[in-house]
Amino acid sequence: MLRIEGLTAEIDGKPILQGVDLEVPAGELHAIMGPNGSGKSTLSYVLSGREGYEITGGSVTFNGVDLLAMEPEERAASGVFLAFQYPVELPGVGNANFLRTALNAVRRHRGEPEVDAMQFLKLARVRMKELSMPEDMLKRGVNVGFSGGEKKRNEVLQMALLRPKLAILDETDSGLDIDALKIVADGVNAMRAPDFSALIITHYQRLLDYIVPDRVHVLMAGRIVKSGGPELAHELEAQGYAQVAA
Amino acid sequence: MVAVTETIEAVQSVAEGGYKWGFETDIEMEFAPKGLNEDIVRFISAKKNEPAWLLEWRLKAFAHWKTMVEPEWPAVNYPKIDYQDAYYYAAPKYKVAPKSLDEVDPELLRTYAKLGIPLREQAILAGVEGAGDSPAEGRMPIAVDAVFDSVSVSTSYKERLAKDGIIFCPISEAVQEHPELVRQYLGSVVPPGDNYFAALNSAVFTDGSFVYIPKGVKCPMELSTYFRINAKSTGQFERTLIIADAGSKVSYLEGCTAPMRDENQLHAAVVELVLMDDATIKYSTVQNWYPGDAEGRGGIYNFVTKRAACRGARSKVSWTQVETGSAITWKYPSCILLGDDSVGEFYSVAITNNRQQADTGTKMWHIGARTKSTIVSKGISAGRGQNTYRGLVKISPKAVGARNFTQCDSLLIGDECGAHTVPYIENRCMTAKVEHEATTSRIAEDQLFYCRQRGLTQEEAVGLIVNGFCREVLKELPMEFAVEAQKLLAISLEGSVG
Ligand SMILES: Nc1ncnc2c1ncn2[C@@H]1O[C@H](COP(=O)(O)OP(=O)(O)O)[C@@H](O)[C@H]1O
Ligand SMILES: [Mg+2]
C-alpha cells in the first residue's frame, strides 16, 4: 500500500505541495479531485520521481519501501505506473518497440523471461482490441501524430501491458468522448485486484460513474482538505470546490 | 562489420561498456621499413607484384603528394602528423601465401571469430553437408573480403559469384587477374591528385576490394569488406573500386575496427564507384574504428575520399553511413550525377562522444538533366564531441529540372559538445529546385522521464531516443546491419548522460 505523510515539495523555490497526507490500502482505488493548479500533477510527478522537484519534507512509502529514495526506473520496475496528463512524443521510436522495451525492462525486474517481438505482438493485440485501438498504432512513433484520445488510450494500453501495482492516472479522462471514457474505465476496472491500487486524478464526476472509487480526496493549494466516500464527488460536482472545502 | 547473428551476439555479449573490439592479435608480421619515400612506394608495388604501369601511377601520385599541403579547412584539430613515423606496409608473415582458409594462420581465424566476421562459406543449397555452420533459416549468406592491415586474408563466395560473372576479390588480385578493368577505372572517379589524402592513398594503397557486376546482373548476395587495423604505428590505405555495368545491381557493406592504443593511427581510404545506365549501387558503412579514450588519447584518424560516378542514365547510388568510431572523421561520400535522370542519395549518422571530432557530409554534383539527390544527415554530439555537417550541392547549367532535398538534424547531449552545419549551394540552373532544412535539438527532459517512468534506464532511454532520431537513416541499412548499428549507437553514447 501507498502511504504519504506530511509531504512538502517545491519547484524553483516555489512551494507546491504543502503537507500531503494520504493512504491508499492495497486493492483500493482512490480519486483525487481539485481545481487547476492545486498540485495534482505535481503530486504524481513527485511520486514517480521526476527531476526538478525538491522534496522539502515528509515521506512516501510503497509497501514499506521508501519510494523517494529510488530512481524513476526503479519505481517503475517495482510497480509504480504514471499515466501522463500530457503523454510525451518520441519521434522515430516505434510504439511497438517502445512498449516491448518497457515491458521487458519490468519483466526483467520481476524475474520473468523477456518476450520476443512475436510474443509481444500477441499480448498487445489482445489488449488493443479491448481498448478499441487500431493495430497500426503499434507501427507509429510513440504518441507522434496521435489524437488526444489516442494518446490517453495508449497510456492505458501501457498500463494494461505492464500490470503495475500502483497506477496513477493523471486526468486520463480529459479529452475523451463518452465511448472512449467507458473503454478506459473498463481498462482500469479490469486491473482491480487485491494487490493493485490506483490514484485517479480527475476533474469530473463523469469518470467516477464508471470507475467507482473507494475513497475521494480533495486537493487544494497543495493539501488534502477533505476526504470521503464516492458521494463526495457528487457533492463537489453540485457545489464546487470552494463550498465543499469550506 | 558483417551483419550476421554471430556479430550481433558478439556485440550483445559485451554490451557492458567501453570499446569491445580493442584487442590486439599477436601474430608474426612483415613490415616495410618505417617512413615514406619512393623506395617504400616501390617496396609496396613489388610486394604486390604489380605491373610497371601501376608502379608509375603510384610514383606520379607520390610526386604530386609531396607538392601538396594537408587541408586545413575541416573543422577538426589534431597535432601535425609525422608521415615519416609510420609503417606503410604490414602483413601477416607467410612462407607461401595461403590458398585456402585452412592454410590461414589460426590466430587470424580466431581474430575474425572474435569480431564475429564469418570467413567460412555456408551452404547455399539445401542438403549440402559439411560446409560449415548452416545459415540461420531464410537468411542469405554474405560474401566477405577480410582485409587485415595491408593485405586481404580471405574472400568468400568467389566461385559462387563467378557463376554470375561477378568479380569480387582483393584489389591486389584484380590487378593480376583483371588488369584491363583496373587500369581503365582506377583513379577515374578520384584522380590521384584529387586531394592530399587521396594522393597519399594512390601512392601507398595496399589492399581493399574490387567488384565488377556484369550487365544486367543482380548480385545474389550482399558483398562486404571488413577492415581491421592490427599492427602498431601502421597506417591503413585501403582502395576499393566497384563497377556496376548497365542494368546491374549490388548492395555492398563495409565495416572496420582497430585495437585500443594510445597512439593515433591513420586510415586514409579511397573508394570509387562507377555506374553505367540503369545500374544501382547501395553502399553501406558502419564505421567503428577505435575512437580514443575519454581524454582523447589515441584513436584512428579516418581521412577518407569516397565518390561515385553515375555515368549512365537512370543510374542510382545510395551511400548510407553510420559513423560511430574514429578520433577524427573527415569524409564526404559524393555523387557525380552525369547521366540523365541519375539519382544520388546520402544518408548519414555521425556520433561524436568524449573528444571525438567529425567533419562529414557529401557533395552532390548535378550535371545530367533531371538528376535528383537526397541528403539526410543526423549528427549527434555528446561529451566534448564536435560534429560538423559539410555539404555541397552543385547544379550545372545543363542539369535542367534537377532537384535536391537536404535535411540536416543535430542532436546535442550535454552542454560541452558542438554541432555545426555548413551547407554550400551553387545553383547555376534556373529550372532546378534545391531545398534545405536544418534543425538542432536536445533530448528533452520529459522524453527521458517518460522512458524512465516505463522502466528504462537513463542509458536505455538515450539509446532509444537517439535511435528514433536516426530512424530515417537506419532504415536504409540492410536489416541485420541495422540491428547492429542500433546497438552500436547505444554503446557509443555510453557514459554521455547522468
Ligand atoms: N515547472 C514548473 N515551474 C514552476 N511552477 C510550476 C511548474 N509546474 C507546475 N507549476 C505550478 O505548480 C502549481 C501546481 O501545478 P500542477 O501540479 O500542474 O497542478 P494541477 O495538476 O493540479 O493542475 C501551479 O501553480 C503551477 O503553475
Ligand atoms: Mg495536472
Side-chain angles (χ1 to χ4, degrees):
Chain A
M1 74 139 126
L2 177 71
R3 174 174 291 151
I4 305 173
E5 283 176 348
L7 182 63
T8 57
E10 51 185 56
I11 312 169
D12 296 336
K14 177 179 164 194
I16 310 286
L17 299 183
Q18 321 229 29
V20 175
D21 293 293
L22 183 64
E23 253 188 56
V24 187
E28 292 194 5
L29 309 186
H30 288 201
I32 294 186
M33 303 181 79
N36 276 330
S38 57
K40 302 183 297 295
S41 291
T42 302
L43 177 62
S44 70
Y45 289 141
V46 166
L47 292 180
S48 52
R50 188 168 188 164
E51 279 168 27
Y53 296 85
E54 203 193 332
I55 317 290
T56 47
S59 67
V60 180
T61 60
F62 180 53
N63 293 332
V65 183
D66 179 6
L67 207 56
L68 300 179
M70 297 160 87
E71 294 293 324
E73 59 269 33
E74 293 169 338
R75 300 184 202 199
S78 60
V80 177
F81 179 90
L82 170 62
F84 284 60
Q85 182 175 3
Y86 303 107
V88 178
E89 298 185 6
L90 303 176
V93 180
N95 208 24
N97 183 23
F98 178 68
L99 294 180
R100 186 161 73 91
T101 307
L103 179 59
N104 281 334
V106 170
R107 288 179 70 98
R108 262 201 309 276
H109 185 84
R110 293 186 197 139
E112 294 168 4
E114 297 191 16
V115 294
D116 65 26
M118 289 312 292
Q119 291 167 318
F120 170 77
L121 213 58
K122 260 192 182 162
L123 284 172
R125 277 196 184 123
V126 176
R127 299 283 169 230
M128 291 181 83
K129 214 165 159 191
E130 288 167 2
L131 293 166
S132 301
M133 292 169 73
E135 209 177 298
D136 82 324
M137 281 178 70
L138 280 179
K139 292 194 197 113
R140 290 153 64 183
V142 177
N143 295 321
V144 178
F146 286 23
S147 71
E150 284 175 332
K151 283 182 181 170
K152 296 301 177 76
R153 264 185 262 194
N154 202 34
E155 295 291 291
V156 177
L157 170 66
Q158 295 180 52
M159 178 180 73
L161 285 168
L162 298 178
R163 310 209 62 76
K165 296 278 170 256
L166 172 68
I168 306 162
L169 289 88
D170 191 357
E171 295 200 30
T172 301
D173 54 332
S174 19
L176 293 185
D177 60 37
I178 195 73
D179 293 335
L181 190 78
K182 280 185 197 161
I183 290 167
V184 164
D186 287 347
V188 176
N189 286 326
M191 300 282 300
R192 270 195 189 267
D195 62 347
F196 174 77
S197 325
L199 269 183
I200 299 159
I201 296 171
T202 182
H203 263 310
Y204 307 105
Q205 155 62 27
R206 203 172 65 139
L207 176 68
L208 305 180
D209 287 340
Y210 301 99
I211 307 174
V212 181
D214 295 290
R215 302 281 292 164
V216 175
H217 309 277
V218 182
L219 185 73
M220 283 180 74
R223 252 192 217 107
I224 304 283
V225 295
K226 191 158 185 166
S227 298
E231 71 289 346
L232 180 56
H234 289 280
E235 261 175 68
L236 287 168
E237 187 93 337
Q239 301 170 25
Y241 292 112
Q243 187 91 42
V244 172
Chain B
M1 237 127 315
V2 171
V4 287
T5 12
E6 301 145 60
T7 324
I8 294 161
E9 281 158 10
V11 174
Q12 271 171 342
S13 67
V14 285
E16 303 88 33
Y19 184 76
K20 322 297 173 359
W21 307 265
F23 65 91
E24 196 175 328
T25 306
D26 187 12
I27 187 172
E28 207 182 338
M29 298 287 285
E30 178 184 10
F31 290 90
K34 222 176 198 180
L36 181 55
N37 51 53
E38 255 193 48
D39 287 342
I40 293 294
V41 176
R42 288 177 193 281
F43 176 96
I44 292 168
S45 189
K47 270 282 158 206
K48 307 268 174 190
N49 199 21
E50 286 174 353
W53 68 264
L54 190 49
L55 174 61
E56 281 310 307
W57 193 85
R58 286 176 179 276
L59 289 171
K60 253 169 82 180
F62 182 65
H64 193 117
W65 178 75
K66 285 193 291 187
T67 68
M68 301 171 90
V69 288
E70 215 167 312
E72 284 181 354
W73 50 263
V76 295
N77 284 306
Y78 55 95
K80 210 137 189 58
I81 298 172
D82 180 357
Y83 289 91
Q84 297 306 330
D85 190 30
Y87 297 103
Y88 289 80
Y89 181 88
K93 216 167 194 170
Y94 287 109
K95 288 207 175 63
V96 283
K99 289 201 176 51
S100 76
L101 259 190
D102 302 322
E103 294 172 28
V104 170
D105 189 315
E107 196 54 43
L108 273 178
L109 297 182
R110 270 195 291 278
T111 299
Y112 286 94
K114 210 162 154 183
L115 294 168
I117 311 304
L119 299 184
R120 248 171 235 292
E121 296 184 11
Q122 300 161 334
I124 299 178
L125 298 167
V128 177
E129 276 171 42
D133 302 333
S134 62
E137 220 177 329
R139 185 170 284 140
M140 260 322 270
I142 295 165
V144 178
D145 183 16
V147 177
F148 190 85
D149 288 326
S150 306
V151 290
S152 168
V153 176
S154 93
T155 310
S156 57
Y157 296 107
K158 262 158 69 176
E159 283 78 26
R160 165 66 189 82
L161 292 164
K163 281 187 199 155
D164 290 323
I166 296 168
I167 305 168
F168 177 47
C169 67
I171 198 157
S172 53
E173 187 180 313
V175 168
Q176 307 299 325
E177 308 290 328
H178 312 281
E180 66 304 330
L181 280 173
V182 176
R183 197 169 182 175
Q184 185 180 351
Y185 291 106
L186 185 74
S188 73
V189 186
V190 179
D194 186 82
N195 67 68
Y196 189 79
F197 297 110
L200 176 63
N201 174 288
S202 301
V204 298
F205 78 87
T206 45
D207 231 330
S209 298
F210 177 83
V211 177
Y212 173 77
I213 316 283
K215 281 194 177 76
V217 171
K218 312 255 178 287
C219 188
M221 61 179 86
E222 308 265 357
L223 305 184
S224 75
T225 307
Y226 188 89
F227 294 95
R228 175 78 179 165
I229 292 179
N230 186 64
K232 241 186 170 133
S233 310
T234 300
Q236 191 179 55
F237 303 91
E238 101 207 33
R239 187 102 197 175
T240 292
L241 175 57
I242 301 179
I243 302 146
D245 216 328
S248 70
K249 193 169 178 180
V250 64
S251 170
Y252 176 91
L253 320 169
E254 176 198 72
C256 39
T257 57
M260 293 162 74
R261 291 214 174 90
D262 279 350
E263 61 173 5
N264 295 109
Q265 285 178 277
L266 179 61
H267 171 86
V270 172
V271 174
E272 297 177 281
L273 312 185
V274 180
L275 297 91
M276 307 307 178
D277 286 352
D278 300 293
T280 300
I281 298 180
K282 185 173 176 60
Y283 192 108
S284 312
T285 302
V286 173
Q287 188 267 102
N288 185 25
W289 293 118
Y290 177 55
D293 68 12
E295 306 308 320
R297 276 185 301 259
I300 302 293
Y301 291 163
N302 190 37
F303 299 154
V304 171
T305 306
K306 290 182 166 175
R307 197 173 300 154
C310 286
R311 298 201 175 139
R314 297 167 304 277
S315 56
K316 177 179 172 184
V317 67
S318 181
W319 297 103
T320 305
Q321 61 174 27
V322 175
E323 305 281 318
T324 60
S326 296
I328 300 177
T329 295
W330 178 97
K331 173 178 172 189
Y332 316 90
S334 302
C335 305
I336 304 171
L337 302 171
L338 262 171
D340 290 346
D341 301 289
S342 58
V343 176
E345 295 174 341
F346 175 72
Y347 298 98
S348 170
V349 168
I351 285 199
T352 52
N353 193 5
N354 297 319
R355 304 269 184 155
Q356 282 177 278
Q357 309 173 57
D359 193 303
T360 184
T362 185
K363 226 190 282 184
M364 293 290 177
W365 190 0
H366 293 254
I367 300 168
R370 298 170 306 278
T371 45
K372 249 172 76 178
S373 65
T374 303
I375 299 171
V376 178
S377 161
K378 305 276 179 177
I380 298 141
S381 317
R384 299 191 188 182
Q386 291 295 328
N387 211 319
T388 301
Y389 167 81
R390 189 184 301 276
L392 169 65
V393 176
K394 184 172 172 178
I395 302 190
S396 306
K398 283 190 200 143
V400 290
R403 291 183 57 181
N404 161 264
F405 173 73
T406 299
Q407 186 185 327
C408 292
D409 298 321
S410 306
L411 187 69
L412 300 168
I413 301 173
D415 42 25
E416 287 184 288
C417 55
H420 320 274
T421 302
V422 191
Y424 302 92
I425 298 169
E426 284 173 28
N427 187 355
R428 296 176 53 211
C429 176
M430 292 279 288
T431 57
K433 216 170 113 187
V434 179
E435 285 174 86
H436 180 94
E437 287 175 11
T439 66
T440 300
S441 55
R442 287 177 183 280
I443 294 185
E445 181 272 333
D446 64 347
Q447 293 179 318
L448 280 178
F449 176 62
Y450 191 65
C451 294
R452 295 178 75 188
Q453 209 305 301
R454 297 299 184 251
L456 279 66
T457 62
Q458 177 104 338
E459 287 190 340
E460 286 171 326
V462 169
L464 198 75
I465 293 165
V466 166
N467 272 303
F469 174 75
C470 300
R471 205 188 75 91
E472 288 155 277
V473 173
L474 297 178
K475 74 179 169 52
E476 295 297 324
L477 288 172
M479 219 250 282
E480 289 96 334
F481 227 39
V483 172
E484 190 172 316
Q486 284 179 15
K487 297 215 162 84
L488 259 182
L489 292 185
I491 291 170
S492 307
L493 286 169
E494 270 176 12
S496 65
V497 283

